[in-house]
């Protein structure tokens, strides 16, 4: 019987162990998409206790706690103490067995704090005080934790109206880890609510210094901010979509739609879809001009529980997998850009696993021989960044494309303790390839090449692809 979370965790064969320990383990981390707050990095925050660094904003844990009959006051309540929240989480942990949270929890405890005991109600107080004491040490500050995990690059997620002052501060201080912004312009195309959209456009006008009254003005203001992001080192954009939009439209229609929504008119669905279609194309062309990589995270059905949304807001654990048919629109979107020779490097992340094979085949339609793996099937995202989801993505990509050109894992997290997700991914990757070798599906004589392939997927492909 194997031990839990030992040195060979998830590695089922001797070949898998060789691939991980000799090729993947010691490589730096390029975390090219996350939701860390750059101000926390700039301020080099010290977390007062384990609850603050572990439970703040972690909707994965919040969902599990609610399911385990934990009252909301112990989850997002502002009056509840950090210790009381942690105690409820510790009581929940044993009930997360077979959920990725159980693996992540104990990997994070071990790799960050050296804690090898299982977390439960009996060990909660000891682990809480031990880890909270370590968090007071300089090496456990926000920057210290990043360096502890051998992180080389961090790409945060930032709105076009953001000042990027924290990124500028880090750049001026010459923090040894590269912390770069990522352009996330979702709000610039969110025309469903005219009042909220007008407020956003007015803020964009203010920060860009461009008076926005027409659609042309809007594009000028966004290009102004796009240039600013590039000046701070941005190399990627990211777009959070329910589905892809690829409606036919004329420029006159888009001009008219923008004028109406800016004046407060509630748009019909067909006009919303046309406007979003246009904006996706315009954003893609901006990225192509600068040689950026565009990322698309699609398929989330967000804010399902309106009662809880009204009470505690978005991103609090009430989102799920959506079910849209995206193949035709995605193909049309990519083809429109390809016909104009303005399709930049692109990473596509699906949230519904039914799209795995569709995406794995779609990316092959638009590879053009200019960049290795120019169009990427992104790693398992959100509900799919667990063992079964990661394996399914690796298998779909392997079957239909070139796994060897894959740019690998990211955290997509708000937590500074999420870096073991890269280790988790690397162990799973090595196990998949190692098992194939042991079963004679891949040649053992090519172990050296396959070891280099593991290194590339774990680190080097991303480094070269993004130009870090």
């Amino acid at each position: 019987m194997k031990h839990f979370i030992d040195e060979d965790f998830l590695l089922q064969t001797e070949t898998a162990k060789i691939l991980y320990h000799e090729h993947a383990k010691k490589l730096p981390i390029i975390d090219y998409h996350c939701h860390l707050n750059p101000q926390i990095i700039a301020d080099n925050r010290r977390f007062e206790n384990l609850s603050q660094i572990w439970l703040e904003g972690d909707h994965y844990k919040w969902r599990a706690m609610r399911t385990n009959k934990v009252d909301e006051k112990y989850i997002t309540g502002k009056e509840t103490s950090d210790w009381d929240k942690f105690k409820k989480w510790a009581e929940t942990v044993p009930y997360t067995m077979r959920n990725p949270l159980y693996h992540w929890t104990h990997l994070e405890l071990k790799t960050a704090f050296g804690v090898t005991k299982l977390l439960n109600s009996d060990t909660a107080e000891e682990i809480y005080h031990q880890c909270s004491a370590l968090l007071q040490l300089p090496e456990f500050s926000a920057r210290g934790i990043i360096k502890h995990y051998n992180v080389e690059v961090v790409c945060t997620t930032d709105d076009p109206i953001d000042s990027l002052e924290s990124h500028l501060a880090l750049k001026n201080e010459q923090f040894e880890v590269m912390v770069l912004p990522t352009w996330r312009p979702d709000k610039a195309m969110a025309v469903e609510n005219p009042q909220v959209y007008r407020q956003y456009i007015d803020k964009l006008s203010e920060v860009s210094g461009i008076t926005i009254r027409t659609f042309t003005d809007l594009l000028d203001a966004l290009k102004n901010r796009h240039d600013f992001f590039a000046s701070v080192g941005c190399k990627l954009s990211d777009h959070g979509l329910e589905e892809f939009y690829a409606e036919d439209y004329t420029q006159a229609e888009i001009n008219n739609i923008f004028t109406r929504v800016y004046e407060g008119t509630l748009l019909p669905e067909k006009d919303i879809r046309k406007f979003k279609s246009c904006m996706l194309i315009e954003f893609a062309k901006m990225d192509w001009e600068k040689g950026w990589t565009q990322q698309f995270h699609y398929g989330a059905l967000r804010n399902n529980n309106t009662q809880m949304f009204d009470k505690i807001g978005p991103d609090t654990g009430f989102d799920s997998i959506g079910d849209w048919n995206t193949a035709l629109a995605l193909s049309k979107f990519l083809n429109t850009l390809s016909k104009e020779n303005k399709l930049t490097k692109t990473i596509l992340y699906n949230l519904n696993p039914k799209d795995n094979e569709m995406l794995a085949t779609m990316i092959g339609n638009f590879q053009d021989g200019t960049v290795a793996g120019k169009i990427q099937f992104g790693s398992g995202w959100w509900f799919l960044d667990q063992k079964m989801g990661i394996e399914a993505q690796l298998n779909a990509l392997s079957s239909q494309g070139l796994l060897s050109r894959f740019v690998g894992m990211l955290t997509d997290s708000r937590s500074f303790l999420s870096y073991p997700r890269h280790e988790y991914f690397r162990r799973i990757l090595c196990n998949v390839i190692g098992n194939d070798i042991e079963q004679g599906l891949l040649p053992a004589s090519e172990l050296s090449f396959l070891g280099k392939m593991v290194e590339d997927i774990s680190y080097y492909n991303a480094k070269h692809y993004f130009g870090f």
Side-chain angles (χ1 to χ4, degrees):
M1 184 180 297
K2 288 177 64 67
H3 294 289
F4 181 62
I5 311 283
D6 62 5
E7 288 301 303
D8 296 326
F9 177 57
L10 296 172
L11 305 173
Q12 298 172 325
T13 63
E14 290 304 313
T15 308
K17 295 173 187 177
I18 291 170
L19 290 172
Y20 178 71
H21 292 296
E22 296 185 11
H23 295 278
K25 182 177 181 180
K26 295 182 180 179
L27 289 171
I29 287 173
I30 293 178
D31 197 25
Y32 57 88
H33 174 71
C34 74
H35 295 275
L36 292 181
N37 185 336
Q39 184 177 345
I40 292 177
I41 305 174
D43 294 343
N44 202 18
R45 177 181 171 182
R46 295 275 187 84
F47 298 89
E48 294 178 16
N49 55 58
L50 186 53
S51 187
Q52 287 186 6
I53 194 172
W54 227 16
L55 299 181
E56 287 183 0
D58 193 337
H59 51 80
Y60 288 87
K61 294 184 177 75
W62 294 354
R63 284 169 69 94
M65 292 168 75
R66 292 179 187 121
T67 304
N68 203 44
K69 199 182 175 182
V70 174
D71 190 280
E72 191 66 31
K73 70 180 181 180
Y74 295 106
I75 301 171
T76 58
K78 299 187 184 304
E79 305 302 321
T80 307
S81 71
D82 290 338
W83 160 245
D84 285 336
K85 289 179 178 179
F86 182 83
K87 185 165 60 173
K88 290 296 183 182
W89 165 240
E91 292 171 1
T92 299
V93 168
Y95 295 92
T96 67
M97 287 192 188
R98 299 211 81 237
N99 184 294
L101 281 166
Y102 196 75
H103 285 168
W104 295 342
T105 292
H106 292 99
L107 268 177
E108 290 168 16
L109 285 173
K110 180 179 180 179
T111 59
F113 304 106
V115 172
T116 56
K117 290 185 177 181
L118 299 181
L119 178 60
N120 52 49
S121 57
D122 293 333
T123 60
E125 188 169 3
E126 177 188 353
I127 290 174
Y128 183 80
H129 290 301
Q130 178 182 342
C131 296
S132 296
L134 288 172
L135 286 168
Q136 307 315 305
L137 301 176
E139 58 265 36
F140 283 88
S141 66
R143 296 191 201 181
I145 292 169
I146 290 173
K147 290 190 287 185
H148 168 77
Y149 280 112
N150 196 20
V151 179
E152 193 172 275
V153 182
V154 174
C155 294
T156 62
T157 303
D158 310 271
D159 191 278
I161 67 173
D162 289 347
S163 67
L164 303 186
E165 57 185 320
S166 296
H167 290 90
L168 290 167
L170 287 163
K171 194 173 182 180
N172 291 335
E173 291 179 31
Q174 298 183 321
F175 177 43
E176 52 265 50
V177 177
M178 189 182 297
V179 181
L180 302 176
T182 296
W183 170 266
R184 178 75 174 250
D186 297 353
K187 293 180 180 178
M189 54 187 273
V191 290
E192 292 87 346
N193 186 320
Q195 182 179 0
V196 172
Y197 188 69
R198 170 68 180 262
Q199 292 171 351
Y200 179 81
I201 296 303
D202 289 346
K203 289 179 183 176
L204 176 62
S205 178
E206 180 182 346
V207 299
S208 66
I210 295 173
T211 301
I212 301 175
R213 293 292 181 269
T214 67
F215 181 70
T216 300
D217 297 335
L218 172 62
L219 291 185
D220 288 343
L222 287 167
K223 288 175 182 176
N224 173 281
R225 300 304 294 170
H226 202 267
D227 291 343
F228 171 62
F229 269 59
S231 73
V232 185
C234 181
K235 292 177 179 289
L236 298 97
S237 70
D238 183 55
H239 308 263
L241 308 171
E242 287 187 341
E243 57 179 314
F244 275 87
Y245 303 93
E247 306 294 325
D248 293 327
Y249 59 85
T250 66
Q251 198 58 55
E253 286 178 314
I254 299 302
N255 294 341
N256 177 262
I257 289 169
F258 177 78
T259 299
R260 285 157 50 214
V261 73
Y262 186 76
E263 292 175 349
T265 301
L266 191 64
L267 298 174
E269 177 67 18
K270 64 180 179 64
D271 286 350
I272 291 173
R273 297 183 68 85
K274 285 186 177 185
F275 190 81
K276 288 179 181 287
S277 299
C278 176
M279 292 303 292
L280 285 179
I281 293 294
E282 295 295 339
F283 288 139
K285 290 179 179 179
M286 291 183 204
D287 292 348
W288 171 80
E289 288 172 357
K290 290 189 174 69
W292 286 6
T293 299
Q294 58 183 354
Q295 302 175 94
F296 296 94
H297 289 83
Y298 80 92
L301 187 61
R302 299 177 185 271
N303 306 317
N304 293 269
N305 189 326
T306 54
Q307 181 185 36
M308 293 305 293
F309 177 80
D310 292 341
K311 185 181 295 185
I312 59 177
D315 302 321
T316 50
F318 299 97
D319 309 316
S320 59
I321 293 173
D323 189 19
W324 291 272
N325 291 320
T326 59
L328 284 175
L330 172 57
S331 176
K332 185 176 178 180
F333 168 70
L334 295 173
N335 193 48
T336 298
L337 295 166
S338 178
K339 286 190 297 184
E340 297 184 32
N341 293 316
K342 292 185 178 179
L343 178 58
T344 192
K345 292 177 289 186
T346 303
I347 307 178
L348 303 165
Y349 308 84
N350 59 301
L351 195 56
N352 195 321
K354 75 176 179 62
D355 285 352
N356 281 356
E357 277 70 24
M358 182 276 285
L359 271 193
T361 54
M362 183 67 73
I363 64 172
N365 297 333
F366 298 98
Q367 309 289 7
D368 61 12
T370 62
V371 177
K374 179 178 177 179
I375 314 300
Q376 290 273 330
F377 176 11
S379 61
W381 166 50
W382 201 342
F383 297 112
L384 304 182
D385 63 353
Q386 29 73 14
K387 183 176 181 294
M388 187 165 59
I390 291 170
E391 289 174 346
Q393 187 269 351
L394 292 174
N395 287 330
L397 177 56
S398 298
S399 298
Q400 307 298 339
L402 297 183
L403 177 64
S404 54
R405 293 304 189 180
F406 180 36
V407 293
M409 191 58 172
L410 44 92
T411 63
D412 188 37
S413 175
R414 293 169 173 79
S415 171
F416 284 82
L417 293 182
S418 290
Y419 289 111
R421 292 186 191 179
H422 284 263
E423 176 182 336
Y424 196 62
F425 168 83
R426 291 175 183 182
R427 287 177 178 272
I428 293 168
L429 170 69
C430 291
N431 191 60
V432 168
I433 295 175
N435 283 349
D436 279 357
I437 296 171
E438 296 272 346
Q439 295 172 33
L441 299 175
L442 292 173
S445 61
E446 296 301 305
L447 185 60
S448 177
F449 179 88
L450 290 163
K452 179 62 168 61
M453 177 174 158
V454 164
E455 293 174 6
D456 288 343
I457 297 168
S458 299
Y459 170 72
Y460 290 105
N461 283 349
K463 188 176 182 69
H464 297 146
Y465 185 81
F466 300 115
F468 294 137

